[in-house]
Amino acid sequence: PFTLLDNLLAWSRLETGHMPFNPARIVLADAVDEVNNVLFTMAIRKRIELNNLVNPEILVFADKNMLITILNNLIMNAIKYTAGGGCVNISAEKLTSESASDRENILISVEDNGIGIEPELMNDLFTGKKPVSQPGTEKEQGTGLGLMLTREMIEKHGGKISVRSTAGKGSVFSFQLQAFDPAAGHTD
């Protein structure tokens, strides 16, 4: 799993413009599987079920390394803040565009039935003013850098991230990426 050092290095490269950004055609379900395979032992240790509910036909136009980092941070957080026996669902849906000229987007969601987020913490999650972190269900520590990095990587793709959460019931982190569209000039 990603460590503080991985996130710091990635954030530093992103901030200084030294992180390559090469968007290409990605089968989203495969990217989710790749991350789930890495986080599998962490999930098993807490008896948490990871469910990849993404339709294998959904294609996104994204930088693969950044997408893996985004998914890794969000899924790892979901595992961290979910008690043993819980589950984490990763899903995606096509958003219908308002007009024919709009690009088609995919809404990707990572949902858990964990401890949720207190309302006063929610406002600070993505601001970057101060990293926000609370201990996981088994006292796992965090730095809050993962979410800041995740937000910046999603914004680099022209997307945005949002969260819905109810304390004690769980959280849903959702973000948008462009759908892969050869008609829009996207190439592999």
Side-chain angles (χ1 to χ4, degrees):
F2 263 49
T3 63
L4 168 62
L5 187 58
D6 292 319
N7 275 331
L8 275 172
L9 287 170
W11 187 70
S12 154
R13 286 200 306 268
L14 194 64
E15 292 300 298
T16 56
H18 289 107
M19 178 174 278
F21 180 66
N22 301 311
R25 174 188 179 274
I26 297 173
V27 177
L28 183 59
D30 291 351
V32 171
D33 276 342
E34 193 174 316
V35 172
N36 283 354
N37 289 339
V38 170
L39 297 177
F40 181 74
T41 50
M42 187 181 173
I44 286 292
R45 200 168 56 242
K46 288 183 78 171
R47 300 182 330 280
I48 290 171
E49 200 178 299
L50 291 178
N51 300 312
N52 181 353
L53 307 176
V54 177
N55 181 324
E57 291 175 15
I58 291 184
L59 304 175
V60 292
F61 187 62
D63 179 279
K64 175 126 191 251
N65 291 332
M66 286 191 193
L67 177 59
I68 295 294
T69 301
I70 292 164
L71 289 170
N72 193 88
N73 277 322
L74 293 179
I75 296 168
M76 192 161 50
N77 277 354
I79 294 169
K80 183 162 120 180
Y81 296 113
T82 299
C87 72
V88 174
N89 294 327
I90 303 98
S91 59
E93 61 181 307
K94 280 188 178 172
L95 297 175
T96 50
S97 55
E98 311 297 298
S99 71
S101 64
D102 280 354
R103 60 175 200 215
E104 197 168 59
N105 282 335
I106 306 294
L107 182 70
I108 303 157
S109 298
V110 177
E111 179 176 5
D112 65 61
N113 60 353
I115 58 176
I117 303 164
E118 297 297 332
E120 61 273 12
L121 278 180
M122 294 248 298
N123 300 330
D124 295 331
L125 275 183
F126 304 112
T127 61
K129 291 183 190 129
K130 58 175 197 265
V132 174
S133 184
Q134 56 185 5
T137 56
E138 293 182 0
K139 307 287 181 276
E140 303 100 322
Q141 292 304 309
T143 60
L145 267 178
L147 281 182
M148 285 169 54
L149 177 66
T150 298
R151 186 203 75 210
E152 291 189 18
M153 287 185 167
I154 291 166
E155 287 174 354
K156 179 102 174 149
H157 283 85
K160 53 186 185 287
I161 184 167
S162 62
V163 60
R164 295 192 319 275
S165 185
T166 307
K169 297 263 173 69
S171 305
V172 184
F173 282 82
S174 301
F175 64 99
Q176 292 181 30
L177 290 179
Q178 279 187 58
F180 176 77
D181 179 9
H186 293 169
T187 55
D188 285 341

